[in-house]
Amino acid sequence: MGNFIIFALIVVYGVGVLKFWNGFERTNFNPALSNRIRLSLLWPALFITNQSYRRNFRKALKG
């Protein structure tokens, strides 16, 4: 059961990275590649702690 939970979390993380990466141009963030990579990979922590990032993350997922 523990392996399934870990696998599910990895899948959710990966889907979040891909969706944010594909919708990044809809956000207000600087479009530099390093910024895009960093914000895509750190999305869970930033989503939890930063209200501005949450708004931009939702913008990226819409569309």
Side-chain angles (χ1 to χ4, degrees):
M1 183 66 175
N3 290 338
F4 176 73
I5 292 172
I6 291 171
F7 177 73
L9 289 173
I10 291 170
V11 168
V12 168
Y13 175 77
V15 169
V17 168
L18 289 174
K19 287 191 152 285
F20 185 73
W21 182 273
N22 290 330
F24 190 81
E25 63 275 353
R26 289 187 214 88
T27 68
N28 298 330
F29 297 126
N30 182 349
L33 181 61
S34 62
N35 198 30
R36 188 175 191 165
I37 291 170
R38 190 173 16 147
L39 292 172
S40 294
L41 293 176
L42 294 174
W43 77 264
L46 292 171
F47 188 83
I48 291 170
T49 61
N50 191 310
Q51 184 178 7
S52 174
Y53 183 85
R54 261 191 305 272
R55 266 187 260 120
N56 279 292
F57 188 81
R58 288 185 188 117
K59 281 184 196 178
L61 297 185
K62 290 181 181 178

